Amino acid sequence: MNHKAIYKLYSQVVTIDDGTGAFDKDGNKVEIDLALVNAWQDPDAYKSKRKAEYPPVTDYIDGVVKGDQVQIDKYIADCLAVKQRFPKGVA
């Protein structure tokens, strides 16, 4: 089960058990529409994708320390390329 989707789509859910289902604060079972849960796309998914692809910040710092504008520009271009591959709000 996609716990994050369930918590986002069903605000009354406070606990989820993959074997028994989702429950509210009183322990009542909350009926879940699995098609809706499976169709949900995390609007923040781009963040982890970007993080995995960004070049190390040490590349930028090294360029600054050395006064190497080419290295600095390459770092910036690489970051902008990652942002373009993984735009905000697109899963």
Side-chain angles (χ1 to χ4, degrees), residues 3-16:
H3 292 212
K4 189 171 183 178
I6 293 169
Y7 286 125
K8 292 290 184 180
L9 295 169
Y10 298 91
S11 61
Q12 71 273 33
V13 170
V14 296
T15 59
I16 301 170

Side-chain angles (χ1 to χ4, degrees), residues 13-83:
V13 170
V14 296
T15 59
I16 301 170
D17 181 290
D18 287 337
T20 58
F23 301 89
D24 66 14
K25 66 178 176 60
D26 298 320
N28 299 313
K29 188 168 185 170
V30 177
E31 291 301 317
I32 302 296
D33 180 346
L34 286 179
L36 182 63
V37 169
N38 291 334
W40 183 81
Q41 293 193 11
D42 184 355
D44 295 325
Y46 73 95
K47 292 177 183 179
S48 60
K49 291 176 182 178
R50 282 184 180 182
K51 185 175 182 178
E53 295 291 322
Y54 278 136
V57 71
T58 52
D59 290 356
Y60 178 80
I61 294 169
D62 184 57
V64 171
V65 170
K66 295 187 303 188
D68 185 343
Q69 191 60 47
V70 171
Q71 184 175 343
I72 294 168
D73 291 344
K74 180 184 180 324
Y75 177 85
I76 293 169
D78 290 348
C79 287
L80 291 174
V82 170
K83 288 178 181 289

